[in-house]
Amino acid sequence: SCFRALCCKGPPPARPEYDLVCIGLTGSGKTSLLSKLCSESPENVVSTTGFSIKAVPFQNAILNVKELGGADNIRKYWSRYYQGSQGVIFVLDSASSEDDLETARNELHSALQHPQLCTLPFLILANHQDKPAARSVQEVKKYFELEPLARGKRWILQPCSLDDMDALKESFSQLINLLEEKDHEAVRM
């Protein structure tokens, strides 16, 4: 029985890996959220100036997230980093000024319509829900015109904050489900 235990146990099945791109304006909280998901302390997070890559482990998948800096002078280069992405994480600051929200809306719209991203699943995170000025998910959905714009696309809009990691992990689980569905479709074609 000792032999059987050794021979039949085998390594755990490999978790699928997905390559994602994470975009959003500076200050939306991309780095902090990803650091927290990797169990790193978000205390000494600095704004991403170019891009950074994190492998974010989940029970059923590993997400290789390429996070792109959100400053004005970097956003125009975002599309250079889209190639090879299998999904998109868009982080917005739901407590930001009207101007920033308008900019975020324009950036999300161009991402949703970009030829390399338009067929991919999107996880849209309305971050900073713990701030008094935060807009609700309903307000964000309406302001960002997600229903008409993203009809027929696969997207998830979720509220989040660093205080509620369970909700954040649940949002990522939903994204992983969409990525798996897309994988199965590719196999069927």
Side-chain angles (χ1 to χ4, degrees), residues 20-145:
L20 305 180
V21 65
C22 177
I23 52 180
L25 304 192
T26 295
S28 59
K30 301 179 296 296
T31 311
S32 299
L33 291 173
L34 292 171
S35 297
K36 195 97 187 250
L37 282 170
C38 290
S39 309
E40 297 165 6
S41 163
E43 302 297 287
N44 30 24
V45 158
V46 290
S47 251
T48 306
T49 44
F51 73 94
S52 72
I53 297 178
K54 275 192 186 322
V56 187
F58 287 91
Q59 235 172 337
N60 53 343
I62 295 168
L63 304 180
N64 298 312
V65 181
K66 194 188 305 169
E67 180 206 335
L68 308 182
D72 293 354
N73 58 340
I74 298 174
R75 288 200 305 269
K76 57 178 178 261
Y77 300 112
W78 276 359
S79 58
R80 294 184 181 184
Y81 297 94
Y82 290 165
Q83 199 169 352
S85 299
Q86 294 167 284
V88 183
I89 303 157
F90 188 94
V91 183
L92 63 100
D93 176 0
S94 53
S96 68
S97 69
E98 288 294 324
D99 285 355
D100 281 352
L101 213 59
E102 174 87 15
T103 306
R105 178 174 72 179
N106 294 338
E107 292 296 353
L108 178 60
H109 284 203
S110 35
L112 281 164
Q113 292 163 331
H114 191 279
Q116 287 177 314
L117 304 182
C118 62
T119 60
L120 304 180
F122 271 71
L123 170 59
I124 303 159
L125 295 171
N127 195 15
H128 299 148
Q129 287 293 314
D130 48 335
K131 293 186 177 171
R135 294 157 186 86
S136 71
V137 167
Q138 281 354 89
E139 290 172 294
V140 168
K141 184 190 277 187
K142 193 172 169 192
Y143 183 82
F144 277 71
E145 299 167 329

